[in-house]
Amino acid sequence: MNWYGQLPLQHPTTANKFQAIKFAKRCFTPLELYSFQDVFKSLADHQDHISYLKEDTIARFLEIPDILGASSIIFQMVSYLGAFPFGQDAPVVLGFEQMIMVVVIMTERYQRVLKKGNKDRTKLLFRSLAVYDRGTQSEDKEENTEPEEPTRSHVQGFAVDEAANDEEEEDDDDLALAALESLDAIDVFRHGDAPINQASIPSDNLKKLIMLLLLIAPLSTQESLARHAERLSGDQLEGLRKTADNILAAFVNVEKFPGVKIHQFNTVIPISLPFLFNGFNPFFEHFLFSKNIDFTKRKDSSAAPLPPPELVMDQPLLPQVGEILDLNVLSQLSFFLPGASLFRQLRLLYSGGDAGFSMGSFETKVFNWRAPTILLVSGNKISDPPEGGQERAFADTLPPKRFPDSSKSTRVVFGIYTAQHWRQTHKECFGDTDTLLFQLEPVHEVFHASSLNKDYISFSKPPSAHSGIAFGCPHPKAKQTAGLSTHVNLGAVSLLLDSSFEFGVFTHNYTSGGGAFHNSATRKHDFQDRFEVESLEVWGCGGDAEAEQQRQRWAWEEREAEARRRVNLGTGDIEADRALLEMAGLIGGNRSGGSMN
């Protein structure tokens, strides 16, 4: 038998350890393997000639904060993953061989282990978090009177999901190693597992895990979690819980359902949370670095010393906290936008509270940024029918409301990500298929761009008809028949902000089949939220180079404006001077004075 069949055994022998090391060499670098051996040896407890790691040992080593209550959940996960590929053996004693498998899966070093990579890893993580549905279990027992073996438990109080025989769930058996098929061991893998559709993740457990994932999202390699301890007190801790609730709502309505099923898990994560578990990579890479190794020394003394493995990041994760964007929301964004473009990379370009709620100030602050941007808007829903005069005036510009509100929550937060630079849209919208429309509160969801049409983003200033900023709405000048309608044309999945930035409306017309953005994958019904804008801000993704480019464009525009102010043609005829300036394209005709291009 080769190394595949050796890893999950709970009672290691010298041969098993040799095979485990042989496997680790395929997944770790020599230095990582040496470090792992040293770390495990320093942490392990011993009993009956077995070396293993305990729950509190892992929690202390990874610096999991007690206040999150996530230590037992992480231990449940690793006790399951350590048994891979034989899920029926879970939970296992976390010996040397088992911890190798845990670190391989958690740090995505599984190219030689999992057939379908990330997809299989997500399914494994579901199994590691799930518990067996007792209601379904009791129904099965009524139909089958044969005696059953007692179920195991990852965590006291729950029956285990023992990885599943799921003939109904597609490709579930692909979680097994490819070599199991050649070993004729695939039947053992199948028949030893409980059906995955009878398992669910308790909502409370998933919320605690999400809070931990929000905390570890910005970690760099070998960075200590203790450096972010300030996020676990006062308002920041309360914000962490609130953000976790918003993300949990993407999976399940906790008021109606106590847990998350595999279908919800597999639906939500690829669309709205593709990077949810990325924080596990640097988190578990701590096992691959031993503090007993001196990285400043090399055999070749003439060579330059190796750099220390931990780079001290003096630059803050978020240089400036906004009215909407804080560290918790920043981590939330990193669950569907690459963290490398977010952490220590965002600059506040525009804030309505500081620069004023006007399209003119928005244009001044944002249009010269030549890198991706993130727009965030928060507000409170307005009543239906509207009460105040301004609310009624805004409602009059919209088609009659036919859809209910999305939820009972009054506060909403929406956003847009675009890689293209902002500009006025005189004839057509801008944006591309990488543009994302998303909601952060009270339900986290990402609406990806579709190819049905290209009505991604329009920016139309007064006195244009139906001026404002729209995402997913047809361009104000497109396909309009004069005199037939004075209402704004709302897209099937769209967000609209009026020109004064006082009000906004988010529409999800599920029955229409979508438009510039795809329909919700989970909320398969029509809804519309009309709200009064509370805060509006735009963040630029980029570093010093992008900021310098923006500064240069501002300086160029200022020089051009100053040149226009100082022009003295010397004719003494004001009207003639003005006519010449218009002919030169410096004033009039809605011209801006030229272009750097």
Side-chain angles (χ1 to χ4, degrees):
M1 178 174 288
N2 67 14
W3 55 271
Y4 288 102
Q6 301 288 344
L7 285 176
L9 298 180
Q10 292 193 24
H11 299 284
T13 64
T14 302
N16 293 339
K17 188 170 184 178
F18 173 79
Q19 297 290 355
I21 292 176
K22 183 178 178 182
F23 167 60
K25 285 181 177 178
R26 303 187 181 200
C27 302
F28 302 151
T29 67
L31 183 58
E32 288 174 340
L33 177 58
Y34 179 84
S35 296
F36 177 82
Q37 291 174 303
D38 189 67
V39 169
F40 182 86
K41 181 180 179 180
S42 67
L43 296 177
D45 283 85
H46 308 277
Q47 182 177 349
D48 298 332
H49 306 291
I50 298 176
S51 299
Y52 65 98
L53 301 187
K54 298 191 298 186
E55 176 180 333
D56 60 340
T57 302
I58 294 176
R60 287 197 310 271
F61 178 72
L62 295 178
E63 301 177 306
I64 302 175
D66 293 337
I67 196 169
L68 297 183
S71 298
S72 61
I73 299 169
I74 292 296
F75 190 71
Q76 170 184 336
M77 295 181 71
V78 298
S79 297
Y80 179 88
L81 296 175
F84 184 77
F86 299 101
Q88 74 276 5
D89 291 337
V92 293
V93 175
L94 293 173
F96 181 81
E97 298 85 3
Q98 290 73 32
M99 284 305 299
I100 285 179
M101 187 59 74
V102 168
V103 175
V104 165
I105 293 173
M106 286 296 203
T107 62
E108 298 188 277
R109 288 168 165 80
Y110 46 61
Q111 287 82 357
R112 296 177 180 271
V113 182
L114 299 179
K115 281 184 177 180
K116 297 183 179 179
N118 239 11
K119 182 179 178 181
D120 280 350
R121 184 193 188 220
T122 299
K123 195 174 295 184
L124 270 177
L125 294 179
F126 175 85
R127 291 186 175 284
S128 71
L129 289 163
V131 299
Y132 192 75
D133 189 332
R134 290 177 176 175
T136 307
Q137 183 183 23
S138 62
E139 293 174 6
D140 293 342
K141 285 186 176 181
E142 292 177 2
E143 298 176 2
N144 183 8
T145 57
E146 295 182 7
E148 298 183 359
E149 295 183 5
T151 57
R152 308 184 186 199
S153 176
H154 286 301
V155 180
Q156 188 175 0
F158 292 114
V160 70
D161 157 49
E162 299 192 352
N165 165 31
D166 186 22
E167 297 287 340
E168 299 174 4
E169 296 291 338
E170 62 172 328
D171 300 328
D172 189 54
D173 291 330
D174 280 346
L175 284 172
L177 294 170
L180 287 178
E181 297 176 358
S182 62
L183 288 174
D184 245 355
I186 193 67
D187 288 336
V188 176
F189 179 76
R190 283 177 176 162
H191 297 306
D193 298 339
I196 198 171
N197 58 8
Q198 296 177 13
S200 63
I201 304 174
S203 299
D204 287 345
N205 286 8
L206 186 55
K207 178 181 176 179
K208 293 174 183 177
L209 180 66
I210 292 172
M211 290 177 66
L212 177 63
L213 291 170
L214 287 167
L215 191 64
I216 67 176
L219 287 185
S220 57
T221 301
Q222 296 306 320
E223 184 179 1
S224 170
L225 188 56
R227 297 185 61 185
H228 303 279
E230 75 280 355
R231 296 179 61 184
L232 296 172
S233 61
D235 292 340
Q236 289 204 49
L237 177 60
E238 186 58 34
L240 186 67
R241 291 195 178 101
K242 185 177 180 181
T243 304
D245 281 329
N246 297 333
I247 296 171
L248 180 63
F251 295 96
V252 65
N253 184 335
V254 293
E255 296 178 356
K256 295 182 179 180
F257 304 102
V260 178
K261 295 286 189 178
I262 182 63
H263 174 72
Q264 297 162 303
F265 206 69
N266 283 341
T267 300
V268 171
I269 287 181
I271 296 175
S272 295
L273 298 162
F275 308 137
L276 176 65
F277 299 114
N278 280 16
F280 278 149
N281 291 20
F283 197 50
F284 279 86
E285 281 177 355
H286 282 77
F287 284 101
L288 302 179
F289 169 72
S290 172
K291 294 181 180 179
N292 296 325
I293 299 176
D294 188 352
F295 285 87
T296 63
K297 295 180 179 180
R298 299 178 66 176
K299 291 182 180 180
D300 182 3
S301 58
S302 63
L306 290 171
E310 179 175 353
L311 299 177
V312 179
M313 299 292 186
D314 293 327
Q315 187 178 354
L317 294 172
L318 186 62
Q320 181 180 356
V321 175
E323 295 179 1
I324 304 174
L325 187 64
D326 58 16
L327 291 177
N328 295 320
V329 176
L330 181 63
S331 291
Q332 183 180 4
L333 292 175
S334 74
F335 289 166
F336 62 92
L337 294 173
S341 63
L342 298 177
F343 299 115
R344 303 180 177 89
Q345 294 295 317
L346 294 186
R347 297 172 182 268
L348 182 59
L349 304 180
Y350 166 81
S351 172
D354 295 333
F357 290 91
S358 73
M359 297 188 73
S361 58
F362 184 104
E363 179 181 0
T364 301
K365 298 288 187 179
V366 177
F367 274 35
N368 283 328
W369 186 261
R370 292 299 191 266
T373 52
I374 299 171
L375 177 146
L376 300 174
V377 58
S378 66
N380 296 295
K381 294 178 188 176
I382 60 179
S383 59
D384 184 29
E387 296 178 352
Q390 291 178 314
E391 292 182 8
R392 286 195 296 269
F394 172 67
D396 289 342
T397 66
L398 306 177
K401 186 173 183 182
R402 299 182 291 119
F403 306 145
D405 290 351
S406 62
S407 67
K408 296 179 180 179
S409 176
T410 58
R411 188 172 190 268
V412 292
V413 178
F414 298 99
I416 196 82
Y417 166 84
T418 178
Q420 295 192 1
H421 67 270
W422 286 79
R423 56 185 178 272
Q424 289 206 49
T425 53
H426 298 294
K427 293 183 179 180
E428 59 183 11
C429 299
F430 69 92
D432 54 26
T433 53
D434 292 328
T435 305
L436 298 176
L437 175 62
F438 54 87
Q439 182 174 10
L440 300 181
E441 188 179 340
V443 178
H444 174 103
E445 184 157 14
V446 178
F447 304 90
H448 292 259
S450 76
S451 56
L452 289 178
N453 61 61
K454 297 182 179 180
D455 300 327
Y456 300 122
I457 305 174
S458 65
F459 185 96
S460 302
K461 293 174 64 177
S464 299
H466 306 316
S467 57
I469 306 180
F471 311 96
C473 297
H475 191 277
K477 292 185 178 180
K479 299 179 182 179
Q480 292 204 358
T481 304
L484 290 184
S485 175
T486 59
H487 294 146
V488 176
N489 192 357
L490 299 176
V493 179
S494 61
L495 173 66
L496 171 71
L497 304 178
D498 70 352
S499 60
S500 63
F501 294 161
E502 290 185 272
F503 299 100
V505 55
F506 180 86
T507 303
H508 181 255
N509 186 350
Y510 184 81
T511 55
S512 69
F517 296 95
H518 287 289
N519 279 329
S520 168
T522 55
R523 293 181 282 178
K524 299 183 178 182
H525 57 273
D526 301 331
F527 60 86
Q528 186 180 84
D529 290 330
R530 301 181 178 188
F531 57 94
E532 183 178 8
V533 174
E534 179 185 52
S535 300
L536 176 64
E537 51 196 41
V538 179
W539 296 80
C541 305
D544 294 338
E546 288 78 10
E548 175 61 21
Q549 189 178 29
Q550 185 190 46
R551 188 196 65 79
Q552 291 178 0
R553 289 181 179 275
W554 279 339
W556 179 86
E557 289 182 352
E558 180 61 29
R559 289 195 301 270
E560 290 295 303
E562 182 65 20
R564 289 195 295 271
R565 287 194 296 267
R566 293 185 178 183
V567 167
N568 182 8
L569 299 176
T571 64
D573 188 339
I574 296 178
E575 292 301 323
D577 289 350
R578 180 176 181 84
L580 288 173
L581 289 174
E582 288 181 348
M583 291 174 62
L586 294 178
I587 65 173
N590 294 322
R591 298 182 182 274
S592 61
S595 168
M596 288 184 68
N597 295 324

